[in-house]
Amino acid sequence: MSEDGRAGDATSDAGTDAASDGSAPASGSNTATDGTAPKVVCEGLWKVFGPKPERIVNSSEADLPRDELMARTGCVAAVADVSFEVAPGEIFVVMGLSGSGKSTLVRCLTRLIEPTAGRIELAGRDVLASSDKELRDLRRNRVSMVFQHFGLLPNRTVRDNVAYGLEISGIDRATRYARADELIDLVGLGGFADSRPDELSGGMKQRVGLARAFANEPDILLLDEPFSALDPLIRAEMQTEVVRLQRQLDVTMVFITHDLREALRLGDRIAVMRDGRTVQIGTAAQLLEDPADDYIRDFTADVPRALVLTAGDVAEPLTGDGPSPEREIPADTLLRDCIPGVADGSGLRVVAEDGTVIGALGRRRVLDAIHGGRPTTDAASTARL
């Protein structure tokens, strides 16, 4: 993982390319696969709005188009049978267009919206079985949330806003102010501790929101489109900041966005939602190289693949039929940066961080991957290089 982005950089809403070191994200599926107990477990989650919502769960009517379901039953399945796990230290991005159910989903995780059915575990705690007291403790001490709108208290200073959660938890002033000042410096707002929200820019306000979320040292951070109200340049800056903070503080994140390129930049794995259901869960490379259906394929068609895919993502196994390429390249190298190494047709040996040989990479494979898997002729390849 790099401080500038996860799966290599993609462009912002404004279409501006931003470079990163392009380290490959974690293995992709709906299950955390690193062998450790997941921090977040969501299993068969449903949220149905309308009369008698329980009757819709796992019924044949749940498969109806939303408008038909509403006409027949008066219900809307905002979240329908969603399952995933998030590993410790992972940034798990839930991406979807407006109405896909992503914001309802993240609010169900801490029962800000009460789920209709399913199972949720956060940091080992069964959320749906928690009492009101246990739920308050979970929200105060184990899980924090950052919303699109900053939610800062206008009559309080930056320091008091950051320390607010600690204050309501009964932490003494000296301790909470010391923690607040530490986080204010960490998010790059040193010198603004005594300022009030109306004296800050949008990006600065969201930094205050991030600092406040980290103040109680949560295990899990939930972020619901936190940067969508920011202009593209500030948004890219804040994306970099989130990755830096996650890396430094080792917090597990569930990040909600409607922006595919933001998802590709930040996510170790990405869940794409449509009409309340997950269409595909996987790494950026899996979404680009092995789309689940035409919806994902069309959604990712305009992604700058050379700035997302890495050598390790597209390396081909060594067959033993010929000599192994002499030159090596790290597996997390962006395809954009592989082009000079394959331009003469000699190929590259792709190696993992521990020195293990993953495979080989040649000119044809690099260009096919950049062009979406569509084969390129030698003549076309040479011309493009």
Side-chain angles (χ1 to χ4, degrees):
M1 178 180 67
S2 74
E3 290 191 2
D4 290 330
R6 287 309 179 103
D9 258 348
T11 54
S12 68
D13 283 348
T16 302
D17 289 343
S20 82
D21 70 6
S23 55
S27 175
S29 70
N30 69 330
T31 302
T33 57
D34 65 352
T36 59
K39 282 288 186 180
V40 179
V41 176
C42 179
E43 184 177 309
L45 187 66
W46 289 79
K47 178 56 189 178
V48 181
F49 294 98
K52 300 180 180 179
E54 296 82 4
R55 65 195 163 113
I56 304 301
V57 174
N58 294 322
S59 70
S60 58
E61 291 177 317
D63 295 325
L64 295 172
R66 278 189 168 178
D67 54 352
E68 190 173 345
L69 177 64
M70 170 64 82
R72 286 193 186 186
T73 68
C75 293
V76 174
V79 176
D81 198 22
V82 169
S83 298
F84 61 86
E85 294 180 357
V86 184
E90 182 178 11
I91 297 182
F92 184 82
V93 175
V94 181
M95 198 284 302
L97 300 180
S98 178
S100 63
K102 58 189 184 298
S103 290
T104 302
L105 170 63
V106 76
R107 284 165 169 76
C108 284
L109 294 181
T110 55
R111 289 172 58 189
L112 293 177
I113 294 177
E114 197 68 34
T116 305
R119 183 172 74 91
I120 301 168
E121 286 187 10
L122 299 180
R125 183 173 297 182
D126 187 333
V127 175
L128 298 186
S130 295
S131 65
D132 290 345
K133 181 180 179 180
E134 291 170 334
L135 200 55
R136 283 193 299 271
D137 177 72
L138 180 73
R139 293 170 180 168
R140 287 180 180 178
N141 300 310
R142 307 298 297 275
V143 181
S144 287
M145 192 159 184
V146 179
F147 296 95
Q148 175 181 344
H149 302 290
F150 315 119
L152 303 183
L153 301 172
N155 61 322
R156 290 187 172 227
T157 65
V158 167
R159 180 183 291 111
D160 282 322
N161 269 283
V162 172
Y164 181 70
L166 300 177
E167 180 183 344
I168 64 174
S169 295
I171 306 300
D172 66 88
R173 177 178 292 189
T175 301
R176 68 177 185 260
Y177 275 11
R179 175 64 174 163
D181 287 342
E182 175 188 343
L183 287 165
I184 289 167
D185 287 339
L186 185 64
V187 299
L189 290 178
F192 290 91
D194 295 318
S195 300
R196 296 190 183 275
D198 61 3
E199 299 173 306
L200 306 178
S201 68
M204 294 169 75
K205 290 177 182 177
Q206 197 57 285
R207 286 175 185 268
V208 177
L210 286 172
R212 180 177 58 189
F214 283 116
N216 64 342
E217 301 181 81
D219 294 312
I220 300 164
L221 187 60
L222 309 176
L223 303 100
D224 187 13
E225 301 210 57
F227 309 141
S228 61
L230 304 178
D231 67 67
L233 291 178
I234 299 299
R235 185 173 190 165
E237 179 182 303
M238 292 305 301
Q239 290 166 358
T240 300
E241 187 73 356
V242 160
V243 174
R244 181 184 71 84
L245 292 170
Q246 189 277 338
R247 186 177 191 178
Q248 187 164 344
L249 300 175
D250 194 30
V251 176
T252 303
M253 293 185 179
V254 178
F255 191 104
I256 308 300
T257 183
H258 67 273
D259 182 347
L260 176 62
R261 294 185 176 182
E262 182 170 69
L264 294 173
R265 181 178 189 187
L266 295 180
D268 290 313
R269 290 182 303 139
I270 302 159
V272 181
M273 291 190 68
R274 184 185 189 189
D275 293 339
R277 297 182 182 272
T278 50
V279 182
Q280 185 171 359
I281 298 176
T283 65
Q286 289 168 332
L287 266 60
L288 292 174
E289 291 285 274
D290 189 22
D293 60 15
D294 288 340
Y295 180 75
I296 302 293
R297 188 174 293 106
D298 292 344
F299 218 98
T300 59
D302 295 328
V303 171
R305 300 166 67 89
L307 298 178
V308 176
L309 296 175
T310 67
D313 292 331
V314 301
E316 297 177 307
L318 292 171
T319 62
D321 295 336
S324 173
E326 294 183 2
R327 290 176 297 169
E328 292 186 350
I329 194 167
D332 61 0
T333 304
L334 288 170
L335 287 190
R336 175 197 59 190
D337 300 322
C338 295
I339 293 174
V342 300
D344 62 2
S346 60
L348 298 167
R349 187 166 64 248
V350 181
V351 296
E353 188 175 356
D354 63 2
T356 303
V357 177
I358 294 175
L361 200 58
R363 178 175 59 191
R364 176 72 66 83
R365 180 64 183 124
V366 169
L367 290 173
D368 283 352
I370 289 174
H371 288 86
R374 297 184 296 274
T376 56
T377 65
D378 281 338
S381 300
T382 303
R384 289 185 178 92
L385 287 171

